[in-house]
Amino acid sequence: MSLTLLASAIATIYVTHRLVDYWRAARSINNHPGYRTLLAQTSSIGHFFPPIPGITPGGNHLFMNKYRMYEIVGCDIHSAVSAWPTATTTLFVADAAAIKQVALARTRFQKPVHHYDVLELYGRNLITAEGDEWKKYRKICAPAFSERNNRLVWEETIKIMDSLFEDVWGSKEIIATDHVVEITLPIALFVIGAAGFGRKISWKDGDLAPPGHRLTFKEALHVVSTDVFIKLVVPDRALGLTERLRSVKVAFEELKQYMLEMIDERQRAGNLEGRHDLLSSLLNANDLDSGESKLTVSELLGNIFIFLLAGHETTAHTLCFTFALLALHPDEQEILYQHTQSVLSRVGDAPTYDNMPLFTQSLAVFYETLRMFPPATGIMKTCMEDTTLATTDALGNQIVVPVPKGADVTMDFTALHYNPRYWDEPHAFRPSRFLKEWPRDAFLPFSTGARACLGRKFFETEGIAILTKVISRYRIEVKEEPQFALETFEQRKARIFKTRLGLTLTPIKVPLVFKLRETKTVT
């Protein structure tokens, strides 16, 4: 297949999916009184997909529309029907109790694992498995996310941030970036390198690959993490057609070689008790098992890679949204700064993992970011038998919704996080809501049930350490650009928070400035 044909095929798939999304969105408001009026006004093929006021179609529609579709329907469950490529019924759920029911009834609502086969880039893993296979992976992988590993995450993150300030930013009073992911992505990669693989990466590392390698570990990790979508959509036989595609091919081969070498090195070393990175812990847990329950080398590679892929991108993007929210809300940034300073005045300017629970405002800011920008906007399950889900409508009436066997059920985390039944002023950035009692069943950035995120504490530990170090030293502002000088606050917010749907919710361009504070350390 030529690149021209490939591009054409991808464009055709994209456009087709947008039309199908639009059709499904249109059909999903069948309970809305104005729906038949809209259809009655469409008298030509050109109006086959009637516009729905306030509704955005497309692959990112769950995040873009947030709770709007449920407001139109007047119920926290709504349905969509599509006729292509097969007849499909999908229920979208923004009711906390119903979502909990779907998540906990693992036999009745199962993960459609065939949708995730593309993530088997190195081997079977937690994300792509179900049933007994998933139980085996969970049993062996869970011990890797231990308190000892979380402590390592904190320590390595602090070292990485100190090195960034001293070796890269130095005494500069202003650090400007056109897209803050250029800063958060390498930080996240360095942390996962150290706490995930036991490979410490320095900001000052050179570019010379070791003998037997074409790339350094740092280079391979960076290319794999940033270009994973190329690997997902381009057939292996086409990865040699251009220089960019060849670099992706080489990076994936190099990372596999590095991981195989690390596995071999740790296994030959025998005693791994003194090492607490994820790879060592995973190998330790695997060695404790016997017989068929052991992970194969391919399964080891598949699982450690999925931790890398999910962990670094989630952290990098969430931090990007966090810094942007603080830049747009200087009052909340000042509250966070003052609280951070009050904690540092008690523990010193080198906080330890044991001090982490004291940074309650940092965690509140982090959680509010995750509420507003959940990494996974929704997760789909397939109903394996005829059943029902209960919810209430806008008037408070109890409604029982039939769910036929074979229907897809999407747990709509974005709509749940913006549901006014659970959150006051859901569109407002208010970290203080997490400093008091809050609706835990309506906050699911890490999913819920048995398949909830294993790396939640890893993620929180890394994020709070980074946020604490940055906010104690720098003030964050939106980068001023002449072409946007006359925009309103709402226009600026809309521009900064433009997103696309990648493996996780992805910011498109967030230009920020970090300004050195007068008070750099606490004595």
Side-chain angles (χ1 to χ4, degrees):
M1 176 186 288
S2 71
L3 285 181
T4 302
L5 286 175
L6 177 63
S8 175
I10 292 174
T12 301
I13 292 171
Y14 174 75
V15 170
T16 303
H17 275 292
R18 282 187 63 86
L19 293 177
V20 172
D21 281 337
Y22 210 156
W23 166 254
R24 293 175 70 157
R27 293 297 303 168
S28 70
I29 64 165
N30 48 59
N31 294 323
H32 180 46
Y35 180 59
R36 294 186 181 278
T37 303
L38 284 173
L39 287 183
Q41 294 172 349
T42 60
S43 58
S44 68
I45 294 295
H47 292 94
F48 185 68
F49 301 105
I52 306 170
I55 295 300
T56 302
N60 198 16
H61 67 89
L62 288 186
F63 179 74
M64 295 300 294
N65 295 324
K66 299 181 175 63
Y67 189 70
R68 177 59 180 152
M69 185 65 79
Y70 301 86
E71 289 178 328
I72 293 175
V73 173
C75 183
D76 282 346
I77 298 178
H78 71 77
S79 62
V81 178
S82 64
W84 183 92
T86 58
T88 304
T89 298
T90 301
L91 268 68
F92 295 88
V93 185
D95 181 291
I99 286 178
K100 190 173 184 178
Q101 180 182 341
V102 171
L104 294 180
R106 294 183 55 231
T107 302
R108 189 180 309 151
F109 297 98
Q110 295 186 7
K111 183 174 183 176
V113 292
H114 57 280
H115 290 322
Y116 297 83
D117 289 346
V118 291
L119 294 177
E120 293 178 7
L121 294 171
Y122 288 106
R124 299 283 290 170
N125 56 72
L126 268 170
I127 300 296
T128 63
E130 185 60 289
D132 290 340
E133 184 184 35
W134 174 82
K135 291 178 183 177
K136 178 180 79 169
Y137 293 163
R138 175 88 180 192
K139 175 185 176 184
I140 295 176
C141 292
F145 293 92
S146 64
E147 278 298 286
R148 293 185 302 180
N149 181 253
N150 293 333
R151 188 175 296 276
L152 176 65
V153 171
W154 181 277
E155 293 168 353
E156 293 299 332
T157 303
I158 295 296
K159 292 176 185 176
I160 288 164
M161 296 307 296
D162 286 341
S163 178
L164 171 65
F165 298 156
E166 295 168 13
D167 302 326
V168 182
W169 291 1
S171 59
K172 295 178 183 176
E173 294 189 359
I174 296 177
I175 295 91
T177 175
D178 289 331
H179 191 10
V180 78
V181 166
E182 297 168 357
I183 295 171
T184 61
L185 187 59
I187 293 173
L189 284 174
F190 289 7
V191 173
I192 198 68
F197 295 98
R199 297 291 293 260
K200 297 186 178 182
I201 307 172
S202 168
W203 296 96
K204 300 184 292 183
D205 279 353
D207 297 325
L208 293 179
H213 286 275
R214 290 166 287 178
L215 298 175
T216 64
F217 180 72
K218 174 182 174 181
E219 290 170 330
L221 207 55
H222 176 71
V223 175
V224 165
S225 65
T226 54
D227 288 342
V228 65
F229 263 110
I230 293 178
K231 178 69 173 174
L232 289 175
V233 303
V234 179
D236 288 345
R237 62 182 179 275
L239 286 177
L241 296 179
T242 70
E243 183 177 349
R244 175 76 177 278
L245 295 179
R246 285 191 294 273
S247 72
V248 174
K249 182 174 186 293
V250 169
F252 271 85
E253 292 171 349
E254 284 288 291
L255 185 59
K256 181 178 182 179
Q257 185 179 342
Y258 275 115
M259 288 194 291
L260 287 172
E261 290 171 354
M262 286 187 284
I263 290 172
D264 182 63
E265 174 191 338
R266 310 289 173 86
Q267 289 176 332
R268 284 190 288 106
N271 182 10
L272 304 176
E273 287 301 319
R275 307 187 69 160
H276 309 311
D277 57 86
L278 293 181
L279 180 58
S280 296
S281 299
L282 197 58
L283 291 173
N284 279 336
N286 200 38
D287 287 343
L288 292 176
D289 270 29
S290 59
E292 296 180 0
S293 63
K294 275 182 173 288
L295 299 184
T296 65
V297 171
S298 173
E299 290 171 323
L300 282 169
L301 292 177
N303 280 289
I304 199 66
F305 174 71
I306 230 54
F307 297 151
L308 158 71
L309 192 63
H312 92 274
E313 184 176 275
T314 302
T315 301
H317 292 167
T318 300
L319 283 169
C320 176
F321 290 125
T322 303
F323 292 151
L325 284 166
L326 292 171
L328 285 166
H329 299 86
D331 53 338
E332 292 291 349
Q333 184 176 172
E334 183 63 20
I335 292 171
L336 175 60
Y337 172 67
Q338 293 298 337
H339 182 267
T340 300
Q341 291 300 97
S342 71
V343 174
L344 294 178
S345 67
R346 286 180 279 158
V347 304
D349 61 356
T352 67
Y353 178 67
D354 294 327
N355 302 139
M356 180 177 155
L358 299 175
F359 294 99
T360 53
Q361 188 69 31
S362 295
L363 184 61
V365 168
F366 213 51
Y367 275 7
E368 180 68 340
T369 302
L370 287 167
R371 183 190 68 81
M372 299 180 74
F373 298 92
T377 57
I379 291 179
M380 182 186 293
K381 301 280 188 175
T382 298
C383 187
M384 307 309 293
E385 60 187 58
D386 290 342
T387 187
T388 61
L389 291 173
T391 188
T392 56
D393 64 15
L395 300 177
N397 301 311
Q398 292 291 319
I399 295 177
V400 176
V401 179
V403 186
K405 179 181 178 180
D408 291 329
V409 179
T410 295
M411 298 182 289
D412 191 343
F413 297 150
T414 304
L416 180 69
H417 289 183
Y418 283 83
N419 189 334
R421 284 177 56 197
Y422 309 112
W423 307 99
D424 293 332
E425 298 182 84
H427 290 268
F429 178 58
R430 285 175 43 195
S432 60
R433 71 176 86 238
F434 287 99
L435 297 174
K436 53 189 178 183
E437 282 300 312
W438 48 275
R440 296 177 185 273
D441 286 343
F443 178 69
L444 301 179
F446 305 100
S447 190
T448 187
R451 298 198 73 126
C453 177
L454 269 178
R456 174 173 183 165
K457 192 63 180 294
F458 184 114
F459 173 66
E460 291 178 353
T461 301
E462 176 185 6
I464 292 173
I466 294 169
L467 186 56
T468 297
K469 293 296 290 186
V470 169
I471 209 69
S472 65
R473 189 178 178 99
Y474 294 91
R475 186 172 67 256
I476 311 169
E477 299 176 1
V478 175
K479 184 180 180 181
E480 296 296 338
E481 299 173 89
Q483 65 270 37
F484 303 118
L486 299 179
E487 68 183 349
T488 65
F489 175 80
E490 290 301 322
Q491 289 171 333
R492 171 170 286 197
K493 188 167 69 170
R495 171 171 63 89
I496 296 296
F497 290 135
K498 281 185 178 179
T499 62
R500 62 178 175 81
L501 197 58
L503 290 176
T504 60
L505 188 66
T506 303
I508 294 176
K509 185 182 180 184
V510 181
L512 298 181
V513 174
F514 296 81
K515 294 185 176 181
L516 192 64
R517 295 180 184 274
E518 291 182 7
T519 304
K520 301 178 184 177
T521 60
V522 175
T523 59

